[in-house]
Amino acid sequence: MMNKLSFKIGMLFFVFIVLVEVLLFFVLYTNLANNQVDEVMDNLLARGNTHRDVLEDNYSRSTMDHVRIMEAASDFVVVITDTQGQVLVKSNPIEYEIEQVIQRVIQAPIDSKGEIVEKRWKDKKYIASDSLIVIDNEIKGHVLMFAKTNKVKNMLDQLSYQFKIIGLLTLILTIITIFILSKLITAPLKRIKEASEQIYNENKQIDLNTKRKDELGVLARTITRISKDLDQLKAERTEFLSNISHELRTPLTYIKGYADVLNRPDLSGKDTRKYSLIIKEEAEQLSLLVKNLFDLAKVDQNKFDINKEWVSLCEIIQSVTERMRPAFNEKQLTIDTKCPADLIALVDPSRLQQVLINVLDNAKKHSYENSVITLKVKEDLQHINIIVDDEGEGIPKEEIPYLFNRLYRVEKSRSRLSGGSGIGLTIAKEIVESHGGVIHIDSEIGVGTTVTIALKKGEISE
Ligand SMILES: Nc1ncnc2c1ncn2[C@@H]1O[C@H](COP(=O)(O)OP(=O)(O)OP(=O)(O)O)[C@@H](O)[C@H]1O
Ligand SMILES: [Mg+2]
């Protein structure tokens, strides 16, 4: 309970409100009380002084009676004494506290003609003022005025009562807030927490379907997505590993088989050469595969560095076609290149070569003998397009979307003749995309295949 988020937020809310309330109460209470008390005191003294003034003008029994009658009807008490403290007139019976004040002013007379002589409104029943009656420079007596303090006290009691009510309301509100918060925040958070634990511990795919549009909704959807991705990744990894082991096993089986054949004593010199050549080819294939796998691993770790420089595209194309010519000749393929001689681009030359070799190697593998492969570079406003066309067997439409998947091959049987491992295009795509470009394939069965590499001119321009 104490560790619950809703409780913590609720408590925070509560503490803040109580703090604000206490502060407010303190300021209001003292201000109100002081104002009220000041007003009562001013009023009291003014009344006393007025009576005194009248008495100074006409110091007689009847004037005193007059004052007494006036105050008998009011909330105040008036007592008129002589200099000895003898009560001459009183509007109410003399209570103990009033008597005490009279004694005090007689024993310790005030310095001025009138002032407040009892201010302690919190402890006393009355506050009091004293006005001296002075006639011909001689003190004749005192007009003592008293006002009850219970009015002020009542008002302040009322105030603190109201603040207590507000305090109580705050408490109730806090409890409601904690309750709502725990429903609104903690419950979904708890679900998310449990779900993430499930992903972590049981590797389970979870679905936190929620329609919430706030941060919690986003969090829930993100976690759901992560769990799906994780699941897919796991499936892909398993498939990838089984594909890889298959890829590795095939050439190894050949190598082992032909090595066994080579051991046969009755083998002719011609066969020996033939089989050792096959072994060599398989071993080359294997090392190419390992190299490609290594590249793939780098792609996955984003360690695939691209070092761009300004180079002539035609020179790159030239060097690639030169390198591949012997392989093309083997199949009597013609390679036809068209490229604007002055075109330079900001690319990584060796990576771009890698792409072109992959694409041309595919074209070669899937072309019929004596056909033509065209490689042309075309510019438009925004792109430099490198287009490789072959007149080969083509690719079924439904296979095209998967060509760039790792280890994907159209002819699933692993014939040694066309035998690639299905990594070439994956790496090509990765390289082209890290140059900010796109690669795509169009193909028609029996007509041929077109691979287009479109590099954006913005970054890779002349
Ligand atoms: N020009 C093409 N004509 C017909 N099929 C093609 C062509 N290019 C690619 N393919 C098909 O796409 C698949 C994937 O190509 P990719 O280059 O990725 O792998 P691969 O050539 O089989 O192996 P690797 O390039 O790794 O040695 C190929 O196996 C092939 O079936
Ligand atoms: Mg290939």
Side-chain angles (χ1 to χ4, degrees):
M1 173 72 184
M2 300 286 251
N3 271 328
K4 272 192 169 172
L5 195 65
S6 56
F7 182 76
K8 287 182 187 165
I9 297 176
M11 272 335 270
L12 205 68
F13 172 81
F14 179 69
V15 168
F16 269 122
I17 290 200
V18 166
L19 265 177
V20 170
E21 204 203 321
V22 166
L23 197 76
L24 214 72
F25 177 75
F26 185 74
V27 172
L28 249 171
Y29 187 89
T30 30
N31 267 346
L32 267 174
N34 287 342
N35 279 348
Q36 191 79 14
V37 170
D38 281 351
E39 203 184 306
V40 172
M41 284 181 188
D42 287 348
N43 198 2
L44 194 71
L45 185 61
R47 267 180 114 95
N49 284 345
T50 312
H51 296 323
R52 187 259 334 268
D53 291 347
V54 173
L55 281 167
E56 281 179 352
D57 283 348
N58 191 352
Y59 191 69
S60 68
R61 186 77 217 172
S62 70
T63 318
M64 286 183 203
D65 279 338
H66 200 73
V67 170
R68 177 179 58 81
I69 292 163
M70 260 175 76
E71 292 301 1
S74 76
D75 287 340
F76 301 98
V77 175
V78 66
V79 176
I80 301 174
T81 69
D82 63 11
T83 46
Q84 304 306 310
Q86 206 63 48
V87 175
L88 304 175
V89 150
K90 56 178 193 257
S91 66
N92 294 61
I94 304 282
E95 290 175 30
Y96 175 67
E97 268 193 21
I98 294 181
E99 179 61 37
Q100 269 187 322
V101 173
I102 297 172
Q103 291 307 320
R104 203 165 62 217
V105 299
I106 299 304
Q107 272 155 30
I110 52 171
D111 300 329
S112 60
K113 274 198 79 186
E115 64 184 58
I116 299 291
V117 289
E118 182 56 89
K119 301 184 176 174
R120 293 169 291 172
W121 61 274
K122 278 184 196 149
D123 313 320
K124 298 288 178 185
K125 193 174 167 192
Y126 294 99
I127 49 172
S129 72
D130 177 18
S131 310
L132 291 183
I133 309 166
V134 183
I135 298 171
D136 299 333
N137 285 328
E138 193 193 332
I139 298 173
K140 289 280 185 197
H142 301 259
V143 179
L144 289 154
M145 294 291 299
F146 298 87
K148 282 201 168 144
T149 53
N150 61 355
K151 252 184 144 177
V152 180
K153 281 182 192 154
N154 278 348
M155 192 204 70
L156 293 176
D157 281 351
Q158 188 72 25
L159 198 68
S160 52
Y161 172 73
Q162 275 163 8
F163 274 94
K164 273 178 204 147
I165 295 272
I166 292 173
L168 197 72
L169 273 177
T170 317
L171 191 70
I172 294 170
L173 233 117
T174 307
I175 292 170
I176 295 174
T177 312
I178 292 179
F179 184 73
I180 293 174
L181 280 179
S182 71
K183 278 264 170 288
L184 239 70
I185 297 181
T186 324
L189 266 183
K190 207 173 140 205
R191 263 178 63 211
I192 293 174
K193 181 191 128 222
E194 282 165 5
S196 6
E197 277 169 359
Q198 256 179 14
I199 300 176
Y200 184 75
N201 294 330
E202 304 161 36
N203 280 325
K204 245 180 153 165
Q205 189 184 325
I206 47 120
D207 195 0
L208 283 166
N209 62 63
T210 171
K211 289 189 174 54
R212 293 173 74 115
K213 295 217 159 44
D214 55 9
E215 289 89 337
L216 282 177
V218 174
L219 183 63
R221 277 188 287 278
T222 310
I223 287 185
T224 306
R225 222 177 40 231
I226 289 176
S227 115
K228 279 190 184 138
D229 282 1
L230 220 70
D231 214 47
Q232 199 186 338
L233 221 67
K234 252 176 28 212
E236 272 176 17
R237 188 185 58 188
T238 317
E239 193 194 310
F240 184 70
L241 280 176
S242 78
N243 281 346
I244 285 290
S245 59
H246 186 249
E247 284 306 321
L248 290 172
R249 212 176 315 121
T250 319
L252 282 174
T253 317
Y254 280 114
I255 291 174
K256 189 172 165 290
Y258 286 113
D260 284 344
V261 174
L262 275 181
N263 265 336
R264 285 218 301 256
D266 57 333
L267 211 65
S268 70
K270 195 174 149 231
D271 282 346
T272 312
R273 273 193 302 282
K274 188 176 126 200
Y275 292 133
S276 56
L277 200 66
I278 294 175
I279 291 179
K280 186 174 165 259
E281 274 170 11
E282 290 300 337
E284 272 166 3
Q285 171 104 33
L286 208 58
S287 72
L288 185 72
L289 176 67
V290 171
K291 184 189 165 289
N292 280 344
L293 282 174
F294 197 59
D295 269 349
L296 208 61
K298 281 202 264 185
V299 165
D300 284 342
Q301 289 178 4
N302 288 326
K303 281 192 184 150
F304 209 63
D305 18 289
I306 300 287
N307 302 310
K308 290 186 193 174
E309 51 188 272
W310 288 102
V311 284
S312 155
L313 272 187
C314 291
E315 271 176 30
I316 292 180
I317 289 169
Q318 214 69 51
S319 90
V320 170
T321 47
E322 278 320 308
R323 260 172 70 182
M324 298 195 71
R325 200 166 299 279
F328 284 126
N329 287 344
E330 250 173 49
K331 248 181 148 179
Q332 276 97 50
L333 296 170
T334 314
I335 172 129
D336 188 5
T337 53
K338 281 197 195 79
C339 162
D342 52 349
L343 188 63
I344 58 163
L346 186 62
V347 291
D348 182 328
S350 62
R351 291 298 184 199
L352 189 63
Q353 278 185 9
Q354 204 180 345
V355 173
L356 293 175
I357 290 172
N358 271 327
V359 173
L360 286 173
D361 178 59
N362 286 350
K364 186 207 79 184
K365 274 191 293 193
H366 301 281
S367 283
Y368 304 115
E369 291 201 354
N370 291 314
S371 63
V372 180
I373 295 168
T374 349
L375 194 167
K376 50 183 184 254
V377 179
K378 266 209 242 163
E379 268 187 279
D380 60 28
L381 278 177
Q382 281 149 13
H383 299 98
I384 297 174
N385 298 303
I386 305 172
I387 304 160
V388 177
D389 254 321
D390 67 50
E391 302 171 345
E393 63 211 30
I395 307 163
K397 282 265 171 307
E398 63 276 10
E399 304 271 3
I400 293 179
Y402 307 107
L403 294 179
F404 297 102
N405 290 1
R406 50 200 54 193
L407 299 180
Y408 192 86
R409 305 182 336 169
V410 175
E411 56 305 323
K412 306 285 182 286
S413 72
R414 317 241 147 195
S415 84
R416 229 162 40 79
L417 269 180
S418 65
S421 49
I423 298 178
L425 286 178
T426 315
I427 292 174
K429 179 169 183 258
E430 215 59 50
I431 293 176
V432 172
E433 284 179 355
S434 48
H435 275 85
V438 287
I439 177 167
H440 79 99
I441 294 181
D442 291 307
S443 189
E444 206 169 317
I445 292 282
V447 177
T449 304
T450 307
V451 181
T452 310
I453 298 160
L455 300 172
K456 251 207 223 117
K457 257 190 176 173
E459 296 138 51
I460 311 137
S461 61
E462 301 133 85

